[in-house]
Amino acid sequence: MFNSLDDKDVLVFDIREDSLDFKLAKDFKLYEFKSSDGYPIVIVHRLLPNLAQAVRDFLGHGYSPNSAYRSPVHNFNIGGSPKSMHVRGMAIDVPIESREEKQKLIAWARENKVGGIGVYDTFVHLDLGPQREWDG
């Protein structure tokens, strides 16, 4: 359900011209998906806001992704994979409040055929790539 490697389905925003308050989904705005290094371009795959919203609805509380789009320079500087789905605007890192919430989100992601599921101490990485799982 939430996997697509089609780069033709990306939206490109120039935050020098486009409003950071642009609504991408019911509860998400563009500023929540921008690279934290201040890079003026934001790339978002058209399915990513839907995934973020579905996660919010499932969790039953608000959150802002720890990371969504990453500029190539920021991704390099933090030691991200050169093939990171974040650079393609196809990934979010969801902050997790408890071990129980983490387990529930992982089960939900599997059930909904989310592409990549990366499990870390304080967040779960979800992406639109091929189905695979790893521990960070």
Side-chain angles (χ1 to χ4, degrees):
M1 182 170 162
F2 288 109
N3 50 60
S4 169
L5 284 177
D6 193 345
D7 286 326
K8 295 182 301 192
D9 291 333
V10 297
L11 306 169
V12 179
F13 298 91
D14 183 335
I15 60 175
R16 295 168 295 196
E17 298 173 12
D18 298 309
S19 171
L20 285 173
D21 286 329
F22 180 80
K23 206 171 211 181
L24 293 172
K26 183 178 113 191
D27 295 308
F28 288 95
K29 294 186 178 180
L30 181 59
Y31 73 85
E32 296 175 280
F33 288 75
K34 70 182 182 67
S35 185
S36 62
D37 66 347
Y39 191 69
I41 303 299
V42 181
I43 298 172
V44 180
H45 189 281
R46 67 175 178 77
L47 292 178
L48 193 63
N50 299 338
L51 173 59
Q53 186 66 51
V55 168
R56 181 186 173 122
D57 294 344
F58 171 74
L59 294 177
H61 63 76
Y63 74 92
S64 286
N66 290 349
S67 181
Y69 174 68
R70 288 186 198 149
S71 73
V73 170
H74 179 60
N75 191 63
F76 176 81
N77 287 340
I78 65 167
S81 167
K83 296 181 180 182
S84 171
M85 299 300 264
H86 287 282
V87 176
R88 296 171 67 182
M90 300 174 91
I92 57 170
D93 292 342
V94 181
I96 296 301
E97 295 182 352
S98 69
R99 185 169 184 244
E100 178 181 289
E101 184 176 77
K102 181 187 293 186
Q103 295 307 316
K104 286 181 179 179
L105 180 57
I106 293 165
W108 177 90
R110 288 175 180 150
E111 182 179 313
N112 285 279
K113 299 184 182 357
V114 171
I117 304 169
V119 181
Y120 297 82
D121 287 340
T122 60
F123 67 93
V124 174
H125 166 101
L126 301 174
D127 71 48
L128 302 173
Q131 286 187 292
R132 65 214 188 285
E133 292 187 30
W134 68 92
D135 290 323

